[in-house]
Amino acid sequence: MILATPDATHAFGRQLADLILPGDVIALSGDLGAGKTSLARGLLAGLGLAEEAPSPSFSLVIPYDPPLVRMPVWHVDLYRLEDADEAEELGLDDALYDSALLIEWPERLGNRLWPHALKLRIDPEGEGRRLTADVPPSWGARWLW
Ligand SMILES: Nc1ncnc2c1ncn2[C@@H]1O[C@H](COP(=O)(O)OP(=O)(O)OP(=O)(O)O)[C@@H](O)[C@H]1O
Ligand SMILES: [Mg+2]
């Protein structure tokens, strides 16, 4: 799918907000500046977040809970993660009992990325972006295209 403008990226994130459920993992891949945070901001806005979500690049994890959003979701950016072992300390596994995870730089988890993760990849395409999706069975019936 082509996302021609930043608004299109945001709007796509908002659409995902209608599909996401607790326990879901959305892995957002793409180079620096690809638009991962932009998509996450759209999704969080779609879940009801009134203010623009800050980037979790420094804190690594920003949890959102109702009533700020209609379901709990953790926005995660693993760019600065030193190694996959350090990820255990973030408590992502436990979060999945009641929350969804939006993970920028999921590659940092190596082979620890959950098999049921929806993998989205954003790449430059002209002035805009191309979004590619690797859709696991748990998302099959919900998926948009
Ligand atoms: N579809 C699009 N077309 C053109 N520009 C876009 C598109 N989507 C997002 N952008 C722009 O890309 C820029 C970088 O976005 P963003 O911060 O979301 O990247 P990122 O992938 O999160 O980067 P990082 O890896 O540093 O966290 C922003 O200026 C945003 O407006
Ligand atoms: Mg980002």
Side-chain angles (χ1 to χ4, degrees), residues 53-74:
S55 173
S57 344
F58 291 96
S59 53
L60 269 62
V61 174
I62 306 181
Y64 295 90
D65 284 302
L68 282 184
V69 284
R70 71 166 183 271
M71 61 167 256
V73 52
W74 286 22

Side-chain angles (χ1 to χ4, degrees), residues 8 14 25 29 32 35 42 51-52 59-60 69 80 83 87 92 94 98 106-107 111 115 129-131:
R14 291 186 74 106
V25 178
S29 298
L32 285 170
E51 319 230 310
E52 183 175 273
S59 53
L60 269 62
V69 284
R80 297 160 68 94
D83 58 73
L92 303 180
D94 288 341
D98 65 352
E107 297 76 11
N111 59 12
R129 305 286 189 266
R130 172 182 295 273
L131 181 107

Side-chain angles (χ1 to χ4, degrees), residues 33-38 55-57 75 77 104-105:
K36 303 178 292 296
T37 301
S38 309
S55 173
S57 344
H75 185 188
D77 183 336
E104 299 185 40
W105 295 98

